[in-house]
Amino acid sequence: MTTNSCLTARNLSFSFGETPAIQDINVEFARGKITGIMGPNGSGKSTLLQCLSGIIEPQSGDVLAFDDPLSEHQKKISYIPQKEKIDWDFPITVKDLVKTALYQRLKWYECFSEELLKLSEEAILKMGLVGLENKQIGQLSGGQQQRAFLARALVSNAEVFLLDEPFTGLDVKATKDLIGILRKIRDEGNSVVVVHHDFSNAMLFLDDVVLLKTTLLKSGPANTVINSSELRLAFGLPEQE
Amino acid sequence: MDIFSNPVLLNVLIGVILISISTAAVGCLLYVQKNALLGETLAHGCLPGIYCAFIFSTTRNLFWLSIGAAISGLISSYLVDLIVAKSRLSRDGAMAVVLSSMFGLGVVLLSFIQQNNYPNQNGLEDLFFGNAAAMSGNDIKIIGLISIAIWFLLITNYRKLLLTLFDSGFAKFQGIRPKFYIAVISTLAATSVAIGMQTTGAVLIAALIITPAASARIWCSRLFDMILLAIIFAIIGGTVGTLCSYAAPKMPTGPWIVVCMAVLFLLSSLTKRIYLYSTKSD
């Protein structure tokens, strides 16, 4: 039987020293949908995403991927960190960045085969980065940088794409382009989870929303959560008339 | 030609080139790791190990001294990590503490050796500023063998090292253990420092590690290209520096090499600026 959730958090908790970042989170992320993790600053959005990705180990609770332990499906999950967590000055070009997803298929003495090179070229083409392959990643615009990392995720055969605040610093056009790409990835049967904080465009592309403020406040279809009293409470907004 | 008819100079030149190639490549890894000061810490951290190795072996054999240096360098690197993890000190603060403490310990051990009349101790004090001219044929063989080991580690682990340095989270997804490869980088750095001590000494070895990397980074968008260019800069700086010290015999080789590498860095930055200016105005 196939499950409808790509990721499941069970009793997930993580603290930084004495300060809890997330506490006892139980939530399922639907397969084939774009889910937004939303909440005010310091509500534990990025910590939850990192626990889901396997980058950090939760202090209690666990994460399931396709109903199995996360480690069994680790390679199907791709995590794209926040912009400021990436060293944009690192000497690596777009082409080489995408190729890093293929390293595990090669022994140290093996070169990239035609087939593997084709894979990375296809991902670059799909992400609209043709002509930028030999640019150092720091020379790209914000939108292009996100697309370069998505191209790498595509090459690694990921089925679940986790993105931490991908729209930070993007202008209107780049935001629109990235939304289009995330939809395309979803429409191909993949699942996308984004940490997002802009309610103005959330309804445009999010299917589901998980609302956090250290604990889980609400989860469900985007329009239900965004219009809920829990969201107003979390952000300290006045109740609707 | 005169260079080839002078076996001492030829010896020094081969030794310097071998050392420069290794330190430049490892320096690129430290540079992109934004850990340039680690070279300095390791260099000072190597001193106690070298003198301990001498006390136990009572020989100035470069192999044993290098092993002592590498172990002591790795301990210094571990101490920096430990201080950062267990205290509120920043990484550069921790490096400053370890660097000065290990240097102090090195000086104490050297004084101990000098006061206790250990045999074969002549030249041990050279390790502060280096004495490339004292390199023997045997030293060159040892430097060559250690360089091969460094290059073997570097080539066989290149992709894993790149991924660890660039994106340790993604590296973990790919089944790479970032902590292990960070330790590999520290080991490579400590070993390069250990063999380079003979040339420039503890005080100047950091320049041999970082300056070629910094000169190359100005021009390169790929780590692989950066390593190749850094090696070329290091070979040029090492060769010109050695020849300068040969032409002015009373001047030490190490500082000359460092000065030549600094000049190359200046030229590299300047040329890049001119290049950017000319392409802009086109």
Side-chain angles (χ1 to χ4, degrees), chain A residues 74 89 91 96 110 152, chain B residues 159 167 173 217 221-223:
Chain A
Q74 190 75 70
D89 195 36
D96 288 342
E110 284 177 327
R152 179 175 76 171
Chain B
R159 287 176 183 145
D167 188 348
F173 288 157
R217 178 65 188 93
S221 303
R222 301 176 68 227
L223 182 61

Side-chain angles (χ1 to χ4, degrees), chain A residues 128-175:
Chain A
L129 294 166
V130 175
L132 301 168
E133 300 95 325
N134 295 317
K135 286 236 178 218
Q136 191 265 339
I137 53 165
Q139 294 172 344
L140 304 176
S141 69
Q144 290 165 346
Q145 288 173 340
Q146 288 294 336
R147 282 188 273 142
F149 274 87
L150 281 169
R152 179 175 76 171
L154 285 178
V155 169
S156 65
N157 280 332
E159 291 177 25
V160 184
F161 294 70
L162 308 178
L163 295 93
D164 200 348
E165 303 204 17
F167 298 99
T168 306
L170 299 195
D171 61 21
V172 179
K173 187 181 177 303
T175 302

Side-chain angles (χ1 to χ4, degrees), chain A residues 53-55 74 79 87 89-93 96-97 100-101 103-104 106-108 110 136-137 152, chain B residues 32 34 152 155-157 159-160 162-163 165-167 169-170 172-174 217 220-223 226:
Chain A
S53 74
I55 290 245
Q74 190 75 70
Y79 168 75
D87 177 9
D89 195 36
F90 195 93
I92 190 166
T93 59
D96 288 342
L97 166 67
T100 57
Y103 280 0
Q104 65 177 145
L106 297 171
K107 300 234 168 10
W108 67 267
E110 284 177 327
Q136 191 265 339
I137 53 165
R152 179 175 76 171
Chain B
V32 298
K34 303 205 185 315
F152 179 75
I155 292 168
T156 52
N157 292 293
R159 287 176 183 145
K160 287 171 181 168
L162 183 149
L163 210 45
L165 288 168
F166 175 59
D167 188 348
F170 187 73
K172 214 173 140 190
F173 288 157
Q174 301 287 302
R217 178 65 188 93
C220 301
S221 303
R222 301 176 68 227
L223 182 61
M226 182 180 164

